[in-house]
Structures are given as C-alpha cells and as structure tokens.
C-alpha cells in the first residue's frame, strides 16, 4: 500500500486550527461589541465611546452615567453573557454525554423543574430551604433543578438504559412539571399566577451583582474541569464502543460531566428563569462553525451562547422602545427562525 | 517479545454467561492470530474481556510489554457520524489520555499511519460522510496510531473490497513480522484466515472449540462441527492451503 500526500496532514491540520482560532476570535470580538451595545442601550441611550470610557476609567465620567452603567445595566449585561455561556456549555455537554442532539437543560426537564420550584415559592411561599429568605425563589428553583438532574442521572446508571431513554424521560419530566405548574396556577391567586408566568418567560431583569458573582464562580470552576476532559469528551461523539476502545472510562466521565453541567444549568436557570433556546442552539451553532473538537467547541459554545443571549438582551430593549420584553420570548421568536435557516441551508451533516 | 495468554477466562452480561473457561496457549508477538467462530459465538465479548472493558473469572496474562498501554482494540464500526475530519479522528485516538497540546511527533505518527493504510487523501473528509469500507480503514488507523504491542481487531475487513481486504491483512502480517506485534483479528473469511493467520482460535457458544497453528485448526472436521459446513481444505497448485466448500 502506498500513499502520496499523507505528509501534508499537519499542514492541513494547521490550517484547520488557524481557521478555528480565527472563528473564536471573531466570536469574541462580536461578543465584546454586543456587550457594549447592550450597556449603551436603554431608556437613556449612550454612545459606544461613552460606554467604553466609563468602562475603562469609571472615575472620569459623571455620576449618573456611572451609576446607570455600573449599577443598573452592568449586572444585566453580564448576566446575559454568563448565563448564555453557562447554558450553552451545559447543553453542549449534555448532547455530548448522551450522544443526542436534542439534549439540553430545557429538553431534559431541568428548566421545567426549576420553574416548578420557583412557582412553589411564588404562589404559596413554600421554601424548600427555609433559611435564606431573600433567595427563596432561586434556591427553590435550584433545588428542584438539581433534583431533576439527579433523577436523570439515577436513571442513566441503570443497566440497559440508552441515551434515547434518558431524553425520553427528560421530556416526560417536562410534561409532569408543566402539569404541576398548571395545577399551582389553578389554585393560586391571580397575582401569583402573573408572577409565575413572568418567571417562566425568563428575564434578565432579576440580575444583581451577588447573582453575577455566583454565576461567574460556577462557570469559572466548571469550564476548566470540562476543558481538561477535552479529548475524552470529543471521543464520546464517536460512539461508546469507540470511546471505550480509546481508553475512556465512560461511567466516570458521564458522572463527572453530568454533575458539573447540572450545577451550571441549575444556577443559571434559577437566576434568570426559563430560557429554553440557548442550551440547544448555542452548541449547535458552535458545532457548525468549529466541528467536534472540544478544545475549540467548548469555548465556541460558550461564546456563541453568550453572544446569542447578549444580542437577545439588546433586541428585548429595542423591539418596543421603553419596554423590556422577557428575554426567553425574544431569543425564541428571533433565534429559532435563524436556527432553522442554519440547519436547512447546510449541505453537509451538522450532527 | 510481548505475549498474551488466557487462563480460564469468562465473562457475563447481566447475569447471562457469554464466555467461559477460555484457556489458550501462549500467543507470541510477531504473529497474526485469527479469531474464528459463528455469529454470536462471543468473539466481540472476548475482545472486550481481553481489553479490560468486561470483568469476569480467569486471567488475561500479558507479559513482556514495554509500554504503559500495550493493547489497542478496534471495535466494529457503530455508525456514529461525528463532525470530525478523518485526520482529527485519527489524531484523537493518538491523543487520548495525553496533554491537550498536539506535538510534532503526534502529527508525524498520524501521518505515518494514514500513509501505511493509504487513507492520507481522505484527511479532510468528514468521518460521517465516508463509506463503510473507508470508515473501517479509519478505524484501523485509530488502533494503529496508539502504537500498540497487541492489537485486537474486531472484523476489520467486513466492509472492505477484496483488494483492500488483502491489502490490510498483508499490512497487518508485515507489521507483526517487522515490529513484533501480536495481532488478533476476528474474521469470517476462513480463506483469508488460511492465507494470513499463523494461528487460530475458534470460539463456539462462548467456549474455545479449537486452537493452534492455522493448518491444524482449519480442518474439515472442525468446519463441520463448529460451522456446520461440509468443506475440504486442499493445497492449490502453488502449495497454498485453500478452502473448498462442497
């Protein structure tokens, strides 16, 4: 057997890597621009120059601008970026470990679980963890989301349970939680119903600095842990048998990753409500742009998720001036046609 | 020289015994060993047991290995369609358990193996877009690029055309001779086994039905007993053994 051209392999690979680095750089630039635009827009509009000035030297601008940017808009804009990245990473790794393109915090019932937990607090004042009065709603949402993740994990440990079964269970959980939410709304006061409905629409306006720091901390802890597993996670997309044959311990890896992404998804959802779209679409967009290699796909998914949610945050402010439409609605209405376009316009396979 | 020996090896799936009491002579590096047996005889299970993916009674003894991970295993193709180029898929097999950074010697190794298997021209294609036979060649590359001393291959030729079947088996035989590899290959074509294998293991119903040098194992009696086929094994005009089914 002879072959010509094998020696050009590394040149081919170098180009591949360069292209991916360029795409990551472009996504980063877009994200920075979007973030600044997000800060500039609102009831009082500022120029990008003013925003950049206030960001780089907060002391040099007037108090009003500083307060609006740093205390009011910054937590919201940062939350969009961090939650977008977190949900997208969570969705990516759920798709990876379950080897299923439909997996995401939303389709596995984690968001619905969080919604149910929040509804318990909003409608009846039930606190699942009755010690932090200020954070009853997010803590309820977080606990139910983690419980849902654990249920999914418990099932995945059973012998003979395929990843398809797990996704089906997730969808069943979505229906169960939705029914329970309806039940709560049926019995709750009108005011409480409005609060529950608003919560489930997903909104960045609940953002505060402490929540930002918590989300940042979780993301900063999770991302390196997942990045370390880059080769193993990539090989899972070759199928279980192949990954095992390369020496990947599937059981340990699945457990580790599921715990990490559950935490990421639960914290995000409990702070901003249900934003179903990001965890599904962020990773798919990144995969189309960057391929399957997790050394590029992981940061790519984080960037694309952050970018989508940041753009969503901008749109939610400018569609109807003076009104901030809940972000979950915006990302779905604007994002899903875009996503369909991406999927249907591609000639080669994207999953 | 690396050696592999099974002593009373068994395995079970969910309480059902799939393999039991498999003991082999010492299989030495430098040989191609054919693993034969009817469908569902337990060939894949035996590979998984040897590779350490299954536990069970008995001992898998590997001696004389000079690298930390001496065994590579090429499973049957499972039809996964990842968005990975062929080059990346082979590199991925090489990089498993290593640092995230790819070194020049990793590239050199990937290039060398892809060259050996004549799949260098496929490097930019997506694995998911390949034909079954091409995917099988990529699978072989993924196993070889791990630089094993013992190579377990589960039906590596099942989707290849005749010329590539012969090409791959010739290559495996050469690698065994030149580099002292022990290559155990599950194969359905007994003609190929006669032509390329130094020794054979025959499994039937989870038990070892025969083992030893190829010419002593592939006999009309074994073919009738294990495969339920009436056949002769005769020398052709060039003195090679061949199988003639009656």
């Amino acid at each position: 057997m002879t072959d010509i051209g094998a020696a050009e392999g590394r040149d081919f690979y170098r180009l591949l890597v360069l292209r991916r680095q360029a795409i990551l750089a472009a996504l980063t630039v877009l994200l920075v621009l979007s973030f600044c635009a997000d800060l500039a827009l609102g009831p009082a509009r500022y120029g990008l120059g003013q925003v950049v000035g206030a960001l780089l030297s907060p002391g040099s601008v007037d108090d009003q601008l500083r307060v609006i940017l740093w205390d009011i808009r910054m937590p919201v804009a940062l939350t969009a970026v961090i939650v977008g990245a977190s949900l997208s990473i969570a969705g990516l790794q759920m798709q990876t470990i379950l080897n299923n393109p439909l997996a995401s915090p939303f389709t596995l019932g984690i968001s619905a679980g969080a919604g149910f937990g929040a509804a318990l607090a909003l409608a009846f004042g039930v606190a699942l963890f009755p010690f932090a009065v200020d954070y009853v709603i997010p803590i309820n949402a977080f606990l139910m989301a983690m419980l849902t993740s654990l249920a999914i994990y418990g099932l995945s440990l059973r012998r003979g349970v395929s990843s398809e079964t797990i996704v089906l269970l997730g969808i069943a959980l979505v229906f169960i939680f939705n029914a329970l939410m309806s039940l709560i709304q049926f019995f709750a006061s009108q005011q409480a119903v409005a609060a529950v409905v608003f919560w489930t629409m997903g909104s960045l306006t609940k953002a505060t600095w402490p929540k930002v720091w918590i989300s940042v901390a979780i993301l900063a802890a999770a991302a390196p842990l997942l990045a370390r597993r880059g080769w193993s996670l990539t090989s899972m997309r070759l199928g279980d048998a192949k990954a095992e044959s390369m020496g990947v311990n599937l059981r340990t890896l699945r457990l580790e990753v599921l715990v990490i992404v559950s935490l990421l998804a639960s914290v995000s959802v409990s702070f901003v409500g249900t934003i179903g779209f990001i965890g599904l679409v962020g990773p798919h967009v990144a995969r189309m742009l960057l391929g399957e290699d997790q050394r590029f796909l992981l940061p790519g998914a984080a960037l694309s998720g952050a970018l989508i949610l940041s753009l969503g945050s901008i749109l939610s402010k400018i569609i109807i001036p003076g009104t901030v439409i809940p972000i979950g609605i915006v990302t779905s209405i604007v994002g899903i046609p875009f996503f369909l376009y991406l999927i249907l316009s591609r000639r080669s396979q994207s999953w | 020289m690396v050696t592999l020996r099974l002593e009373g090896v068994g395995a079970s799936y969910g309480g059902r015994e799939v393999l039991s009491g498999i003991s082999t002579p010492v299989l030495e590096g430098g040989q191609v060993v054919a693993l034969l047996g009817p469908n569902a005889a337990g060939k894949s299970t035996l590979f998984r047991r040897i590779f350490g993916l299954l536990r069970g009674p008995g001992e898998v003894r590997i001696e004389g290995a000079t690298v930390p991970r001496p065994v590579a295993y090429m499973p049957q193709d499972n039809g996964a369609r990842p968005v990975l180029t062929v080059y990346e898929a082979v590199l991925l097999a090489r990089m498993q358990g290593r640092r995230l950074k790819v070194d020049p010697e990793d590239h050199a190794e990937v290039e060398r193996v892809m060259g050996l298997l004549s799949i260098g021209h496929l490097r930019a294609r997506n694995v998911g877009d390949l034909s079954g036979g091409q995917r099988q060649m990529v699978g072989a590359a993924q196993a070889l690029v791990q630089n094993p001393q013992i190579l377990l291959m589960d039906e590596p030729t099942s989707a290849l055309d005749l010329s590539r079947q012969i090409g791959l088996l010739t290559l495996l035989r050469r690698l065994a001779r030149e580099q002292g590899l022990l290559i155990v290959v599950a194969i359905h074509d007994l003609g190929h086994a006669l032509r390329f294998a130094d020794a054979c293991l025959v499994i039937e119903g989870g038990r070892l039905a025969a083992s030893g040098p190829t010419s002593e194992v592939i006999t009309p009696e074994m073919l009738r007993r294990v495969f339920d086929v009436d056949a002769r094994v005769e020398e052709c005009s060039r003195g090679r053994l061949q199988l003639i089914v009656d």
Side-chain angles (χ1 to χ4, degrees), chain B residues 36 190 193-194 200 202 213-220 222-223 233 243:
Chain B
L36 310 174
L190 299 185
L194 275 171
C200 292
V202 184
T214 304
S215 57
E216 292 172 23
V217 169
I218 301 184
T219 58
M222 186 281 283
L223 292 167
V233 179
L243 189 73

Side-chain angles (χ1 to χ4, degrees), chain A:
Chain A
M1 291 189 176
T2 52
D3 195 29
I4 339 152
E8 288 141 40
R10 77 185 74 188
D11 298 328
F12 158 76
Y13 191 74
R14 191 177 302 129
L15 277 180
L16 203 66
V17 168
L18 271 179
R19 213 190 71 194
R20 288 175 182 167
Q21 286 168 338
I23 292 173
L24 286 179
L27 283 174
T28 310
V29 170
L30 285 176
L31 180 60
V32 170
L33 287 178
S34 169
F35 178 72
C36 291
D38 193 12
L39 285 176
L41 291 168
R45 296 200 172 191
Y46 300 107
L48 275 181
Q50 284 172 291
V51 171
V52 173
L55 286 180
L56 296 180
S57 58
S60 69
V61 295
D62 67 73
D63 283 350
Q64 194 208 0
L65 174 59
R66 197 175 61 234
V67 169
I68 289 183
L69 278 191
W70 280 95
D71 296 348
I72 300 176
R73 291 189 191 166
M74 186 65 92
V76 175
L78 273 180
T79 301
V81 169
I82 293 155
V83 164
S86 301
L87 287 176
S88 188
I89 288 178
L92 167 67
Q93 303 306 14
M94 286 174 183
Q95 290 167 9
T96 306
I97 60 174
L98 297 176
N99 211 349
N100 193 307
L102 287 176
S104 79
F106 185 72
T107 46
L108 289 184
I110 294 174
S111 299
F116 173 69
L120 276 180
L122 287 164
F124 304 128
V126 177
L128 298 173
F129 179 79
F131 301 105
V133 186
D134 293 343
Y135 284 92
V136 171
I137 297 164
I139 286 180
N140 264 18
F142 174 75
L143 290 176
M144 282 308 299
M146 279 308 281
L147 210 64
T148 312
S149 310
L150 287 178
I152 288 172
Y153 175 66
L155 182 93
S156 73
L157 285 184
R158 289 181 51 174
R159 207 171 263 282
V161 173
S162 68
S163 66
E164 284 85 356
T165 319
I166 295 172
V167 174
L168 280 179
L169 174 90
I171 290 170
L173 285 174
V174 172
F175 281 110
I176 292 171
F177 283 127
N178 282 347
L180 289 173
M181 295 260 279
S182 300
L183 193 67
I184 289 178
Q185 291 174 19
F186 180 74
F187 284 114
S189 71
Q190 212 157 19
Q191 214 181 351
V193 170
V196 171
V197 169
F198 182 74
W199 194 93
T200 57
M201 286 172 183
S203 169
L204 296 172
T205 54
K206 302 165 197 140
T208 59
W209 275 111
K211 291 181 185 174
V212 167
W213 291 128
I214 294 173
S215 318
V216 168
I218 303 271
L219 182 60
L225 287 175
L226 294 170
R228 215 163 46 98
R229 298 279 184 225
W231 295 121
S232 309
L233 284 166
T234 310
S235 70
M236 288 199 78
R237 288 287 291 115
L238 298 169
D240 282 6
K242 203 66 172 210
E244 279 183 320
S245 81
M246 294 182 182
V248 176
N249 186 335
L250 294 177
R251 223 178 147 88
T252 322
L253 185 65
R254 283 212 166 97
L255 169 62
E256 186 182 318
V257 171
L258 194 66
V259 168
I260 294 172
V261 299
S262 299
L263 208 61
L264 269 178
S266 305
V267 169
S268 303
V269 174
S270 63
F271 286 164
V272 300
T274 314
I275 304 179
F277 176 76
I278 306 292
L280 191 63
V281 176
H284 282 296
V285 169
R287 195 177 283 109
M288 286 176 203
L289 291 171
L290 294 156
E292 209 80 64
D293 186 339
Q294 289 253 349
R295 291 172 307 149
F296 305 99
L297 181 54
L298 179 70
L303 285 169
S304 66
L307 181 62
I308 294 170
L309 205 54
S310 183
L311 289 174
S313 170
I314 294 174
L315 280 177
S316 71
K317 287 191 273 192
I318 62 173
I319 290 178
I320 305 173
T323 309
V324 182
I325 302 172
I327 184 105
I329 302 177
V330 176
T331 50
S332 296
I333 289 181
V334 181
I336 287 181
F338 167 70
F339 182 53
L340 288 178
Y341 163 76
L342 274 184
I343 293 177
L344 297 176
S345 66
R346 275 179 68 94
R347 297 238 173 83
S348 66
Q349 134 229 21
S350 54
W351 166 258

